[in-house]
Amino acid sequence: MINKVDKIESAIQDVYPDEFAWCYGCGRLNKDGLQFRTGWAGEQTITVYTPRPEHTAIPGFVYGGLIASLIDCHGTGSAALALHEKNGNRIGDGTDAPKFVTASLKTEFLKPTPHGVPLRAVGTLEEIHPKKWKVDVEVFAEDVLCAKGEVVAVLMPKSFLSK
Amino acid sequence: MINKVDKIESAIQDVYPDEFAWCYGCGRLNKDGLQFRTGWAGEQTITVYTPRPEHTAIPGFVYGGLIASLIDCHGTGSAALALHEKNGNRIGDGTDAPKFVTASLKTEFLKPTPHGVPLRAVGTLEEIHPKKWKVDVEVFAEDVLCAKGEVVAVLMPKSFLSK
């Protein structure tokens, strides 16, 4: 269902620890990145992003890889929001957010996505394991559902950095 | 299976018609884009790409959305290579390549992908309909299989531009 939120007040990416804030998609410290920001919208989650001029598939339509990227970071951000809340924390209470990695990402392109308007990724969460969440994502351009995705996000293993 | 080709001599993107050469992932006319190039490697297809410094997930590892983008364009490019050849054409014979769009894209992240080395997307093609191809993609960083993907690519409908 479409969700008309168009500004994220409190984003989970605002409270990722600095060492995990370099993601090209959603890292607040990655100045050349896309800087997606993900917050709650009722019981769903939302990321709003307006593609850059160069993010075209063909002129007038958005590049599918950008949509997949939006779904990816929206999925891990949504999982982090959910676990942060489950842990009894809130954005801004001084605690760092947990960080998830993507195990799998599916994107189904339903319609050509018009370029030049904000895209809204809306997520519906399901905890499938204490360290694993499934996030169903719908991507809207204005009122039109253009893509659907599914992200399986896994809490980042402590071994990740040593691999 | 890993394929050691590291330079694409003849890429299908070189012969996309100008109006379809603006893809952020693989359009030769999109100067701010990634400019993926896809060619034959025996009976498989290959795209080689070295991520930019900013394409990080966390420092030292490649952003998953970039890997999904690589798989996406590698899939549509591979399908275009296959149909171009099936049509009796060759890159450089003066004919334009057909252009595919992505119906669905799946990416499975198997291992953290090291940043700073070329990535090789290797595709295996299956024609599932005269206008639809499935491309199984493996992404290697040096010798290590880091991600797998599946793209269903559909010949771009003539109605696409009028939607």
Side-chain angles (χ1 to χ4, degrees):
Chain A
M1 198 180 71
I2 191 162
N3 189 308
K4 290 287 193 177
V5 169
D6 59 14
K7 191 171 185 323
I8 313 302
E9 298 292 342
S10 296
I12 194 71
Q13 291 88 356
D14 299 345
V15 293
Y16 282 162
D18 281 359
E19 64 266 37
F20 298 135
W22 295 94
C23 174
Y24 181 74
C26 67
R28 67 179 181 279
L29 300 178
N30 192 326
K31 297 302 177 199
D32 296 311
L34 305 170
Q35 305 211 335
F36 298 139
R37 296 178 70 250
T38 305
W40 287 110
E43 296 191 353
Q44 293 186 304
T45 55
I46 193 162
T47 303
V48 183
Y49 182 75
T50 301
R52 297 175 184 164
E54 64 266 30
H55 288 151
T56 49
I58 58 174
F61 298 98
V62 176
Y63 173 52
L66 188 275
I67 295 169
S69 297
L70 174 61
I71 291 171
D72 185 3
C73 288
H74 181 69
T76 52
S78 296
L81 277 167
L83 181 57
H84 201 50
E85 183 169 285
K86 186 183 168 194
N87 287 343
N89 299 315
R90 289 175 62 90
I91 297 169
D93 67 3
T95 55
D96 284 340
K99 187 71 177 72
F100 280 76
V101 295
T102 308
S104 68
L105 166 67
K106 293 180 192 170
T107 304
E108 193 181 347
F109 299 98
L110 304 174
K111 292 191 179 177
T113 302
H115 191 271
V117 299
L119 304 182
R120 282 178 180 72
V122 178
T124 304
L125 284 146
E126 183 186 349
E127 183 179 351
I128 54 180
H129 175 278
K131 295 183 179 179
K132 194 185 283 190
W133 298 74
K134 182 168 83 70
V135 186
D136 287 311
V137 183
E138 294 182 311
V139 178
F140 296 88
E142 300 193 306
D143 290 347
V144 180
L145 177 63
C146 293
K148 293 172 72 167
E150 182 199 282
V151 174
V152 175
V154 178
L155 190 63
M156 187 184 280
K158 287 181 182 164
S159 63
F160 188 91
L161 293 174
S162 61
K163 268 186 188 173
Chain B
M1 198 181 71
I2 192 162
N3 189 307
K4 290 287 193 177
V5 169
D6 59 13
K7 191 171 184 323
I8 314 302
E9 298 292 342
S10 296
I12 196 71
Q13 290 88 354
D14 298 344
V15 294
Y16 283 162
D18 282 358
E19 64 266 37
F20 299 135
W22 296 94
C23 175
Y24 181 74
C26 66
R28 67 179 181 279
L29 299 178
N30 191 327
K31 297 302 177 199
D32 296 310
L34 306 171
Q35 305 211 336
F36 299 138
R37 296 178 71 251
T38 305
W40 287 110
E43 296 191 354
Q44 293 186 303
T45 54
I46 192 161
T47 303
V48 183
Y49 182 74
T50 301
R52 297 176 185 164
E54 63 267 31
H55 288 149
T56 49
I58 56 173
F61 297 99
V62 177
Y63 173 51
L66 188 275
I67 295 169
S69 297
L70 174 61
I71 291 172
D72 185 4
C73 288
H74 182 69
T76 53
S78 295
L81 277 167
L83 181 57
H84 201 50
E85 183 170 284
K86 186 183 168 195
N87 288 343
N89 299 315
R90 289 175 62 89
I91 297 169
D93 67 2
T95 54
D96 285 339
K99 187 73 178 71
F100 281 76
V101 294
T102 308
S104 67
L105 166 66
K106 294 181 192 170
T107 304
E108 192 181 348
F109 299 97
L110 304 174
K111 292 190 180 179
T113 302
H115 191 271
V117 300
L119 304 182
R120 282 179 181 71
V122 179
T124 304
L125 283 146
E126 182 185 348
E127 183 179 351
I128 55 179
H129 176 277
K131 295 183 179 180
K132 193 185 285 191
W133 298 74
K134 183 167 83 68
V135 187
D136 287 310
V137 183
E138 294 182 311
V139 178
F140 296 89
E142 300 192 307
D143 290 348
V144 179
L145 178 63
C146 293
K148 292 172 72 167
E150 182 199 282
V151 175
V152 175
V154 178
L155 191 63
M156 186 184 282
K158 287 180 183 165
S159 62
F160 188 91
L161 293 175
S162 61
K163 267 187 190 173

